[in-house]
Amino acid sequence: MTSISLACLGQEEGSPVQINYSHTPLENVEDGSISQWDVKIVLPILRDDKLMLFTGLHYNGQSLENFPLTIGKRLYTIEVPSGLRMKLNATDNLFLVSRVSLGSDLEHISSEDLTFSLGVGIKRKISEKLSMGLGLGYSHQLFGNQLLPFINFDYKPKEQIHFNGRFPIEGKLTWSMNHRNSLGFEWNIGVNSFRLSKEDHNSEYIRHSNLNSGLFYQYQFYKGLHLKLFGGVIGQKYQRFSKDDSNGWTIVTIPLSNQHDPLEELESNGPLLQIGLFYSF
């Protein structure tokens, strides 16, 4: 649920296929809940010692049960990411990523549902245990323009311990107990936007912000296939806006100018349960 396909900077090296299902109850809403299917596929186009090109497909479907806002029961994101990784020298790598995304309830699809993102980053190998880098992403969302500065880090102080991610957007600390079992902690920040149907909602849009964190257990049950169980907490906000209330800039989720008041708003904090299946090299 990231606002730009920055995750592909890591996925193209390790986990080209991911399938996740998550469920969270809504705070103070009887029998209210959000269920999501999230599928990511990264496909290498060209791969050699100095250059890698990739594309892929990302699908996310949200099912909203007893949702108190008048936005329907389904929200979808369909993305096509692409990018490259270029080896500049023995220690430095350059990354470029882009993404075209359709965010919609799929009741009435139009070009207004499309958004795009661009990102660039550089990563340096400082030692055998540590790599660091800097990057900047830009995303043109339905609610305006979004900047995503981040610090890329990859630290492995011991063979069993691995700390990596893109601060502040996401991070993961993993302890490998053996070659099959791992435990860890991770967090993610995301901002998405969805266009509602013209007939029923006059092309209004939804801004969805979320922050989740928690513990996970990972089990390799066959070669590169892994089962992942995650339990944690999530804070999220759904806001419905008029189609004309779209301007301004934000850094990640922090507004840099006055924002329009939403027509409706829901904030909810609660538990998040997730089960996932992914393949890694």
Side-chain angles (χ1 to χ4, degrees):
M1 295 189 296
T2 54
S3 300
I4 190 174
S5 300
L6 296 172
C8 289
L9 296 178
Q11 282 180 340
E12 44 84 16
E13 294 186 53
S15 303
V17 179
Q18 296 187 15
I19 302 172
N20 291 289
Y21 173 78
S22 64
H23 179 84
T24 182
L26 289 175
E27 184 182 31
N28 300 322
V29 179
E30 185 177 359
D31 296 326
S33 65
I34 302 172
S35 301
Q36 295 191 60
W37 281 100
D38 193 79
V39 180
K40 298 177 183 178
I41 301 173
V42 178
L43 303 172
I45 300 174
L46 173 65
R47 189 182 187 121
D48 59 32
D49 293 337
K50 293 186 177 181
L51 182 66
M52 178 175 181
L53 301 175
F54 65 90
T55 186
L57 182 66
H58 177 201
Y59 164 83
N60 179 273
Q62 298 188 33
S63 177
L64 313 174
E65 295 297 328
N66 293 320
F67 207 71
L69 303 189
T70 55
I71 63 175
K73 293 186 176 182
R74 299 288 188 273
L75 294 173
Y76 301 92
T77 300
I78 301 173
E79 298 178 348
V80 178
S82 60
L84 67 84
R85 181 193 65 193
M86 181 184 301
K87 187 173 183 180
L88 302 178
N89 50 51
T91 59
D92 298 325
N93 284 278
L94 175 69
F95 297 90
L96 297 173
V97 295
S98 66
R99 182 212 68 180
V100 177
S101 177
L102 173 73
S104 172
D105 58 7
L106 297 187
E107 296 294 331
H108 180 266
I109 300 175
S110 73
S111 59
E112 291 184 330
D113 303 337
L114 297 175
T115 62
F116 68 90
S117 301
L118 301 170
V120 61
I122 190 167
K123 188 175 180 181
R124 167 168 290 187
K125 183 178 180 180
I126 299 174
S127 68
E128 292 300 320
K129 297 182 178 181
L130 177 64
S131 295
M132 296 285 292
L134 296 173
L136 178 65
Y138 165 78
S139 184
H140 178 68
Q141 296 275 6
L142 299 178
F143 55 80
N145 303 290
Q146 183 185 30
L147 293 177
L148 296 165
F150 63 92
I151 299 174
N152 202 322
F153 59 92
D154 195 314
Y155 182 47
K156 202 168 186 178
K158 296 182 179 180
E159 185 64 29
Q160 298 85 4
I161 298 177
H162 189 195
F163 185 38
N164 66 302
R166 281 154 288 278
F167 182 84
I169 302 167
E170 61 180 1
K172 179 188 294 185
L173 175 63
T174 305
W175 172 43
S176 298
M177 296 180 287
N178 50 52
H179 74 285
R180 287 188 180 274
N181 297 276
S182 299
L183 292 173
F185 169 83
E186 66 180 338
W187 80 85
N188 290 275
I189 297 175
V191 183
N192 292 22
S193 53
F194 307 88
R195 181 73 68 184
L196 302 178
S197 65
K198 183 176 181 180
E199 288 83 357
D200 297 332
H201 299 282
N202 196 31
S203 297
E204 296 164 348
Y205 70 88
I206 301 300
R207 173 174 172 162
H208 175 220
S209 308
N210 73 89
L211 167 62
N212 67 75
S213 62
L215 302 175
F216 67 85
Y217 167 71
Q218 193 170 294
Y219 175 67
Q220 180 179 340
F221 61 91
Y222 181 75
K223 295 183 179 180
L225 291 174
H226 300 255
L227 178 68
K228 183 179 178 181
L229 303 176
F230 174 91
V233 294
I234 183 170
Q236 54 190 333
K237 180 187 294 185
Y238 286 83
Q239 297 173 300
R240 181 169 65 91
F241 290 92
S242 165
K243 64 175 294 186
D244 298 321
D245 294 342
S246 176
N247 57 26
W249 290 78
T250 62
I251 295 183
V252 190
T253 60
I254 302 172
L256 299 180
S257 58
N258 293 331
Q259 303 291 300
H260 293 282
D261 294 328
L263 302 173
E264 285 186 297
E265 181 176 280
L266 171 69
E267 289 191 59
S268 179
N269 302 302
L272 172 64
L273 302 175
Q274 185 179 83
I275 182 170
L277 179 70
F278 69 94
Y279 172 79
S280 67
F281 295 118

mmCIF file with all atom_site columns, all heavy atoms in Angstrom, residues 65-83:
data_model
loop_
_atom_site.group_PDB
_atom_site.id
_atom_site.type_symbol
_atom_site.label_atom_id
_atom_site.label_alt_id
_atom_site.label_comp_id
_atom_site.label_asym_id
_atom_site.label_entity_id
_atom_site.label_seq_id
_atom_site.pdbx_PDB_ins_code
_atom_site.Cartn_x
_atom_site.Cartn_y
_atom_site.Cartn_z
_atom_site.occupancy
_atom_site.B_iso_or_equiv
_atom_site.pdbx_formal_charge
_atom_site.auth_seq_id
_atom_site.auth_comp_id
_atom_site.auth_asym_id
_atom_site.auth_atom_id
_atom_site.pdbx_PDB_model_num
ATOM 1   N N   . GLU A 1 65 ? -16.711 -3.572 4.908   1.00 0.00 ? 65 GLU A N   1
ATOM 2   C CA  . GLU A 1 65 ? -17.939 -4.128 5.475   1.00 0.00 ? 65 GLU A CA  1
ATOM 3   C C   . GLU A 1 65 ? -18.508 -3.174 6.522   1.00 0.00 ? 65 GLU A C   1
ATOM 4   O O   . GLU A 1 65 ? -17.796 -2.736 7.430   1.00 0.00 ? 65 GLU A O   1
ATOM 5   C CB  . GLU A 1 65 ? -17.665 -5.495 6.105   1.00 0.00 ? 65 GLU A CB  1
ATOM 6   C CG  . GLU A 1 65 ? -17.247 -6.572 5.104   1.00 0.00 ? 65 GLU A CG  1
ATOM 7   C CD  . GLU A 1 65 ? -18.338 -6.869 4.098   1.00 0.00 ? 65 GLU A CD  1
ATOM 8   O OE1 . GLU A 1 65 ? -19.534 -6.757 4.473   1.00 0.00 ? 65 GLU A OE1 1
ATOM 9   O OE2 . GLU A 1 65 ? -18.010 -7.209 2.947   1.00 0.00 ? 65 GLU A OE2 1
ATOM 10  N N   . ASN A 1 66 ? -19.822 -2.864 6.384   1.00 0.00 ? 66 ASN A N   1
ATOM 11  C CA  . ASN A 1 66 ? -20.505 -1.934 7.297   1.00 0.00 ? 66 ASN A CA  1
ATOM 12  C C   . ASN A 1 66 ? -19.716 -0.641 7.449   1.00 0.00 ? 66 ASN A C   1
ATOM 13  O O   . ASN A 1 66 ? -19.565 -0.102 8.548   1.00 0.00 ? 66 ASN A O   1
ATOM 14  C CB  . ASN A 1 66 ? -20.721 -2.586 8.663   1.00 0.00 ? 66 ASN A CB  1
ATOM 15  C CG  . ASN A 1 66 ? -21.705 -3.741 8.594   1.00 0.00 ? 66 ASN A CG  1
ATOM 16  O OD1 . ASN A 1 66 ? -22.712 -3.674 7.892   1.00 0.00 ? 66 ASN A OD1 1
ATOM 17  N ND2 . ASN A 1 66 ? -21.394 -4.810 9.307   1.00 0.00 ? 66 ASN A ND2 1
ATOM 18  N N   . PHE A 1 67 ? -19.226 -0.142 6.337   1.00 0.00 ? 67 PHE A N   1
ATOM 19  C CA  . PHE A 1 67 ? -18.399 1.053  6.350   1.00 0.00 ? 67 PHE A CA  1
ATOM 20  C C   . PHE A 1 67 ? -19.289 2.285  6.523   1.00 0.00 ? 67 PHE A C   1
ATOM 21  O O   . PHE A 1 67 ? -20.285 2.435  5.799   1.00 0.00 ? 67 PHE A O   1
ATOM 22  C CB  . PHE A 1 67 ? -17.609 1.150  5.037   1.00 0.00 ? 67 PHE A CB  1
ATOM 23  C CG  . PHE A 1 67 ? -16.327 1.905  5.146   1.00 0.00 ? 67 PHE A CG  1
ATOM 24  C CD1 . PHE A 1 67 ? -15.256 1.378  5.832   1.00 0.00 ? 67 PHE A CD1 1
ATOM 25  C CD2 . PHE A 1 67 ? -16.192 3.159  4.567   1.00 0.00 ? 67 PHE A CD2 1
ATOM 26  C CE1 . PHE A 1 67 ? -14.060 2.061  5.933   1.00 0.00 ? 67 PHE A CE1 1
ATOM 27  C CE2 . PHE A 1 67 ? -15.010 3.858  4.668   1.00 0.00 ? 67 PHE A CE2 1
ATOM 28  C CZ  . PHE A 1 67 ? -13.944 3.308  5.351   1.00 0.00 ? 67 PHE A CZ  1
ATOM 29  N N   . PRO A 1 68 ? -18.961 3.178  7.468   1.00 0.00 ? 68 PRO A N   1
ATOM 30  C CA  . PRO A 1 68 ? -19.861 4.297  7.769   1.00 0.00 ? 68 PRO A CA  1
ATOM 31  C C   . PRO A 1 68 ? -19.842 5.429  6.749   1.00 0.00 ? 68 PRO A C   1
ATOM 32  O O   . PRO A 1 68 ? -20.730 6.277  6.769   1.00 0.00 ? 68 PRO A O   1
ATOM 33  C CB  . PRO A 1 68 ? -19.371 4.784  9.140   1.00 0.00 ? 68 PRO A CB  1
ATOM 34  C CG  . PRO A 1 68 ? -17.941 4.374  9.204   1.00 0.00 ? 68 PRO A CG  1
ATOM 35  C CD  . PRO A 1 68 ? -17.848 3.086  8.440   1.00 0.00 ? 68 PRO A CD  1
ATOM 36  N N   . LEU A 1 69 ? -18.858 5.483  5.850   1.00 0.00 ? 69 LEU A N   1
ATOM 37  C CA  . LEU A 1 69 ? -18.830 6.523  4.830   1.00 0.00 ? 69 LEU A CA  1
ATOM 38  C C   . LEU A 1 69 ? -19.607 6.073  3.594   1.00 0.00 ? 69 LEU A C   1
ATOM 39  O O   . LEU A 1 69 ? -19.651 4.886  3.276   1.00 0.00 ? 69 LEU A O   1
ATOM 40  C CB  . LEU A 1 69 ? -17.386 6.861  4.434   1.00 0.00 ? 69 LEU A CB  1
ATOM 41  C CG  . LEU A 1 69 ? -16.433 7.303  5.542   1.00 0.00 ? 69 LEU A CG  1
ATOM 42  C CD1 . LEU A 1 69 ? -15.130 7.812  4.941   1.00 0.00 ? 69 LEU A CD1 1
ATOM 43  C CD2 . LEU A 1 69 ? -17.048 8.355  6.433   1.00 0.00 ? 69 LEU A CD2 1
ATOM 44  N N   . THR A 1 70 ? -20.162 7.040  2.869   1.00 0.00 ? 70 THR A N   1
ATOM 45  C CA  . THR A 1 70 ? -20.958 6.726  1.680   1.00 0.00 ? 70 THR A CA  1
ATOM 46  C C   . THR A 1 70 ? -20.057 6.643  0.451   1.00 0.00 ? 70 THR A C   1
ATOM 47  O O   . THR A 1 70 ? -20.093 7.490  -0.430  1.00 0.00 ? 70 THR A O   1
ATOM 48  C CB  . THR A 1 70 ? -22.049 7.796  1.474   1.00 0.00 ? 70 THR A CB  1
ATOM 49  O OG1 . THR A 1 70 ? -21.411 9.091  1.431   1.00 0.00 ? 70 THR A OG1 1
ATOM 50  C CG2 . THR A 1 70 ? -23.060 7.777  2.581   1.00 0.00 ? 70 THR A CG2 1
ATOM 51  N N   . ILE A 1 71 ? -19.238 5.590  0.420   1.00 0.00 ? 71 ILE A N   1
ATOM 52  C CA  . ILE A 1 71 ? -18.276 5.448  -0.681  1.00 0.00 ? 71 ILE A CA  1
ATOM 53  C C   . ILE A 1 71 ? -18.376 4.084  -1.351  1.00 0.00 ? 71 ILE A C   1
ATOM 54  O O   . ILE A 1 71 ? -17.538 3.732  -2.179  1.00 0.00 ? 71 ILE A O   1
ATOM 55  C CB  . ILE A 1 71 ? -16.831 5.673  -0.184  1.00 0.00 ? 71 ILE A CB  1
ATOM 56  C CG1 . ILE A 1 71 ? -16.434 4.601  0.840   1.00 0.00 ? 71 ILE A CG1 1
ATOM 57  C CG2 . ILE A 1 71 ? -16.686 7.065  0.407   1.00 0.00 ? 71 ILE A CG2 1
ATOM 58  C CD1 . ILE A 1 71 ? -14.976 4.693  1.268   1.00 0.00 ? 71 ILE A CD1 1
ATOM 59  N N   . GLY A 1 72 ? -19.393 3.304  -1.022  1.00 0.00 ? 72 GLY A N   1
ATOM 60  C CA  . GLY A 1 72 ? -19.501 1.983  -1.600  1.00 0.00 ? 72 GLY A CA  1
ATOM 61  C C   . GLY A 1 72 ? -18.795 0.932  -0.767  1.00 0.00 ? 72 GLY A C   1
ATOM 62  O O   . GLY A 1 72 ? -18.326 1.198  0.352   1.00 0.00 ? 72 GLY A O   1
ATOM 63  N N   . LYS A 1 73 ? -18.657 -0.268 -1.317  1.00 0.00 ? 73 LYS A N   1
ATOM 64  C CA  . LYS A 1 73 ? -18.099 -1.397 -0.573  1.00 0.00 ? 73 LYS A CA  1
ATOM 65  C C   . LYS A 1 73 ? -16.788 -1.919 -1.135  1.00 0.00 ? 73 LYS A C   1
ATOM 66  O O   . LYS A 1 73 ? -16.206 -2.845 -0.572  1.00 0.00 ? 73 LYS A O   1
ATOM 67  C CB  . LYS A 1 73 ? -19.121 -2.548 -0.542  1.00 0.00 ? 73 LYS A CB  1
ATOM 68  C CG  . LYS A 1 73 ? -20.368 -2.232 0.257   1.00 0.00 ? 73 LYS A CG  1
ATOM 69  C CD  . LYS A 1 73 ? -21.264 -3.460 0.378   1.00 0.00 ? 73 LYS A CD  1
ATOM 70  C CE  . LYS A 1 73 ? -22.473 -3.187 1.258   1.00 0.00 ? 73 LYS A CE  1
ATOM 71  N NZ  . LYS A 1 73 ? -23.329 -4.396 1.416   1.00 0.00 ? 73 LYS A NZ  1
ATOM 72  N N   . ARG A 1 74 ? -16.305 -1.356 -2.250  1.00 0.00 ? 74 ARG A N   1
ATOM 73  C CA  . ARG A 1 74 ? -15.077 -1.869 -2.859  1.00 0.00 ? 74 ARG A CA  1
ATOM 74  C C   . ARG A 1 74 ? -14.214 -0.709 -3.340  1.00 0.00 ? 74 ARG A C   1
ATOM 75  O O   . ARG A 1 74 ? -14.721 0.260  -3.926  1.00 0.00 ? 74 ARG A O   1
ATOM 76  C CB  . ARG A 1 74 ? -15.387 -2.784 -4.054  1.00 0.00 ? 74 ARG A CB  1
ATOM 77  C CG  . ARG A 1 74 ? -16.210 -4.018 -3.726  1.00 0.00 ? 74 ARG A CG  1
ATOM 78  C CD  . ARG A 1 74 ? -15.402 -5.054 -2.951  1.00 0.00 ? 74 ARG A CD  1
ATOM 79  N NE  . ARG A 1 74 ? -16.145 -6.299 -2.819  1.00 0.00 ? 74 ARG A NE  1
ATOM 80  C CZ  . ARG A 1 74 ? -17.003 -6.560 -1.852  1.00 0.00 ? 74 ARG A CZ  1
ATOM 81  N NH1 . ARG A 1 74 ? -17.252 -5.631 -0.940  1.00 0.00 ? 74 ARG A NH1 1
ATOM 82  N NH2 . ARG A 1 74 ? -17.627 -7.729 -1.779  1.00 0.00 ? 74 ARG A NH2 1
ATOM 83  N N   . LEU A 1 75 ? -12.909 -0.826 -3.119  1.00 0.00 ? 75 LEU A N   1
ATOM 84  C CA  . LEU A 1 75 ? -11.919 0.096  -3.668  1.00 0.00 ? 75 LEU A CA  1
ATOM 85  C C   . LEU A 1 75 ? -10.776 -0.742 -4.242  1.00 0.00 ? 75 LEU A C   1
ATOM 86  O O   . LEU A 1 75 ? -10.359 -1.741 -3.639  1.00 0.00 ? 75 LEU A O   1
ATOM 87  C CB  . LEU A 1 75 ? -11.376 1.045  -2.596  1.00 0.00 ? 75 LEU A CB  1
ATOM 88  C CG  . LEU A 1 75 ? -12.361 2.055  -1.988  1.00 0.00 ? 75 LEU A CG  1
ATOM 89  C CD1 . LEU A 1 75 ? -11.708 2.801  -0.836  1.00 0.00 ? 75 LEU A CD1 1
ATOM 90  C CD2 . LEU A 1 75 ? -12.869 3.024  -3.042  1.00 0.00 ? 75 LEU A CD2 1
ATOM 91  N N   . TYR A 1 76 ? -10.270 -0.318 -5.407  1.00 0.00 ? 76 TYR A N   1
ATOM 92  C CA  . TYR A 1 76 ? -9.245  -1.108 -6.090  1.00 0.00 ? 76 TYR A CA  1
ATOM 93  C C   . TYR A 1 76 ? -8.074  -0.224 -6.503  1.00 0.00 ? 76 TYR A C   1
ATOM 94  O O   . TYR A 1 76 ? -8.248  0.945  -6.864  1.00 0.00 ? 76 TYR A O   1
ATOM 95  C CB  . TYR A 1 76 ? -9.826  -1.762 -7.348  1.00 0.00 ? 76 TYR A CB  1
ATOM 96  C CG  . TYR A 1 76 ? -10.991 -2.682 -7.095  1.00 0.00 ? 76 TYR A CG  1
ATOM 97  C CD1 . TYR A 1 76 ? -12.299 -2.196 -7.149  1.00 0.00 ? 76 TYR A CD1 1
ATOM 98  C CD2 . TYR A 1 76 ? -10.801 -4.028 -6.806  1.00 0.00 ? 76 TYR A CD2 1
ATOM 99  C CE1 . TYR A 1 76 ? -13.373 -3.034 -6.929  1.00 0.00 ? 76 TYR A CE1 1
ATOM 100 C CE2 . TYR A 1 76 ? -11.879 -4.870 -6.593  1.00 0.00 ? 76 TYR A CE2 1
ATOM 101 C CZ  . TYR A 1 76 ? -13.160 -4.368 -6.648  1.00 0.00 ? 76 TYR A CZ  1
ATOM 102 O OH  . TYR A 1 76 ? -14.221 -5.192 -6.420  1.00 0.00 ? 76 TYR A OH  1
ATOM 103 N N   . THR A 1 77 ? -6.894  -0.829 -6.466  1.00 0.00 ? 77 THR A N   1
ATOM 104 C CA  . THR A 1 77 ? -5.695  -0.218 -7.024  1.00 0.00 ? 77 THR A CA  1
ATOM 105 C C   . THR A 1 77 ? -5.049  -1.219 -7.979  1.00 0.00 ? 77 THR A C   1
ATOM 106 O O   . THR A 1 77 ? -4.819  -2.370 -7.602  1.00 0.00 ? 77 THR A O   1
ATOM 107 C CB  . THR A 1 77 ? -4.678  0.158  -5.936  1.00 0.00 ? 77 THR A CB  1
ATOM 108 O OG1 . THR A 1 77 ? -5.272  1.089  -5.033  1.00 0.00 ? 77 THR A OG1 1
ATOM 109 C CG2 . THR A 1 77 ? -3.443  0.798  -6.548  1.00 0.00 ? 77 THR A CG2 1
ATOM 110 N N   . ILE A 1 78 ? -4.791  -0.777 -9.204  1.00 0.00 ? 78 ILE A N   1
ATOM 111 C CA  . ILE A 1 78 ? -4.071  -1.600 -10.183 1.00 0.00 ? 78 ILE A CA  1
ATOM 112 C C   . ILE A 1 78 ? -2.904  -0.770 -10.693 1.00 0.00 ? 78 ILE A C   1
ATOM 113 O O   . ILE A 1 78 ? -3.095  0.303  -11.259 1.00 0.00 ? 78 ILE A O   1
ATOM 114 C CB  . ILE A 1 78 ? -4.984  -2.021 -11.345 1.00 0.00 ? 78 ILE A CB  1
ATOM 115 C CG1 . ILE A 1 78 ? -6.184  -2.812 -10.812 1.00 0.00 ? 78 ILE A CG1 1
ATOM 116 C CG2 . ILE A 1 78 ? -4.210  -2.853 -12.360 1.00 0.00 ? 78 ILE A CG2 1
ATOM 117 C CD1 . ILE A 1 78 ? -7.229  -3.122 -11.866 1.00 0.00 ? 78 ILE A CD1 1
ATOM 118 N N   . GLU A 1 79 ? -1.684  -1.254 -10.477 1.00 0.00 ? 79 GLU A N   1
ATOM 119 C CA  . GLU A 1 79 ? -0.482  -0.496 -10.810 1.00 0.00 ? 79 GLU A CA  1
ATOM 120 C C   . GLU A 1 79 ? 0.410   -1.273 -11.769 1.00 0.00 ? 79 GLU A C   1
ATOM 121 O O   . GLU A 1 79 ? 0.470   -2.503 -11.716 1.00 0.00 ? 79 GLU A O   1
ATOM 122 C CB  . GLU A 1 79 ? 0.333   -0.191 -9.548  1.00 0.00 ? 79 GLU A CB  1
ATOM 123 C CG  . GLU A 1 79 ? -0.379  0.656  -8.528  1.00 0.00 ? 79 GLU A CG  1
ATOM 124 C CD  . GLU A 1 79 ? 0.473   0.882  -7.286  1.00 0.00 ? 79 GLU A CD  1
ATOM 125 O OE1 . GLU A 1 79 ? 1.506   0.205  -7.127  1.00 0.00 ? 79 GLU A OE1 1
ATOM 126 O OE2 . GLU A 1 79 ? 0.086   1.728  -6.473  1.00 0.00 ? 79 GLU A OE2 1
ATOM 127 N N   . VAL A 1 80 ? 1.102   -0.536 -12.610 1.00 0.00 ? 80 VAL A N   1
ATOM 128 C CA  . VAL A 1 80 ? 2.152   -1.098 -13.459 1.00 0.00 ? 80 VAL A CA  1
ATOM 129 C C   . VAL A 1 80 ? 3.450   -0.360 -13.115 1.00 0.00 ? 80 VAL A C   1
ATOM 130 O O   . VAL A 1 80 ? 3.650   0.774  -13.549 1.00 0.00 ? 80 VAL A O   1
ATOM 131 C CB  . VAL A 1 80 ? 1.832   -0.950 -14.950 1.00 0.00 ? 80 VAL A CB  1
ATOM 132 C CG1 . VAL A 1 80 ? 2.975   -1.512 -15.796 1.00 0.00 ? 80 VAL A CG1 1
ATOM 133 C CG2 . VAL A 1 80 ? 0.522   -1.657 -15.293 1.00 0.00 ? 80 VAL A CG2 1
ATOM 134 N N   . PRO A 1 81 ? 4.323   -0.979 -12.316 1.00 0.00 ? 81 PRO A N   1
ATOM 135 C CA  . PRO A 1 81 ? 5.607   -0.350 -12.006 1.00 0.00 ? 81 PRO A CA  1
ATOM 136 C C   . PRO A 1 81 ? 6.659   -0.727 -13.042 1.00 0.00 ? 81 PRO A C   1
ATOM 137 O O   . PRO A 1 81 ? 6.541   -1.740 -13.742 1.00 0.00 ? 81 PRO A O   1
ATOM 138 C CB  . PRO A 1 81 ? 5.962   -0.952 -10.640 1.00 0.00 ? 81 PRO A CB  1
ATOM 139 C CG  . PRO A 1 81 ? 5.362   -2.326 -10.703 1.00 0.00 ? 81 PRO A CG  1
ATOM 140 C CD  . PRO A 1 81 ? 4.112   -2.216 -11.563 1.00 0.00 ? 81 PRO A CD  1
ATOM 141 N N   . SER A 1 82 ? 7.684   0.085  -13.149 1.00 0.00 ? 82 SER A N   1
ATOM 142 C CA  . SER A 1 82 ? 8.829   -0.225 -13.998 1.00 0.00 ? 82 SER A CA  1
ATOM 143 C C   . SER A 1 82 ? 10.044  0.496  -13.441 1.00 0.00 ? 82 SER A C   1
ATOM 144 O O   . SER A 1 82 ? 9.911   1.439  -12.660 1.00 0.00 ? 82 SER A O   1
ATOM 145 C CB  . SER A 1 82 ? 8.582   0.197  -15.455 1.00 0.00 ? 82 SER A CB  1
ATOM 146 O OG  . SER A 1 82 ? 8.357   1.594  -15.530 1.00 0.00 ? 82 SER A OG  1
ATOM 147 N N   . GLY A 1 83 ? 11.217  0.069  -13.845 1.00 0.00 ? 83 GLY A N   1
ATOM 148 C CA  . GLY A 1 83 ? 12.412  0.735  -13.346 1.00 0.00 ? 83 GLY A CA  1
ATOM 149 C C   . GLY A 1 83 ? 13.673  0.051  -13.776 1.00 0.00 ? 83 GLY A C   1
ATOM 150 O O   . GLY A 1 83 ? 13.663  -0.936 -14.513 1.00 0.00 ? 83 GLY A O   1
#
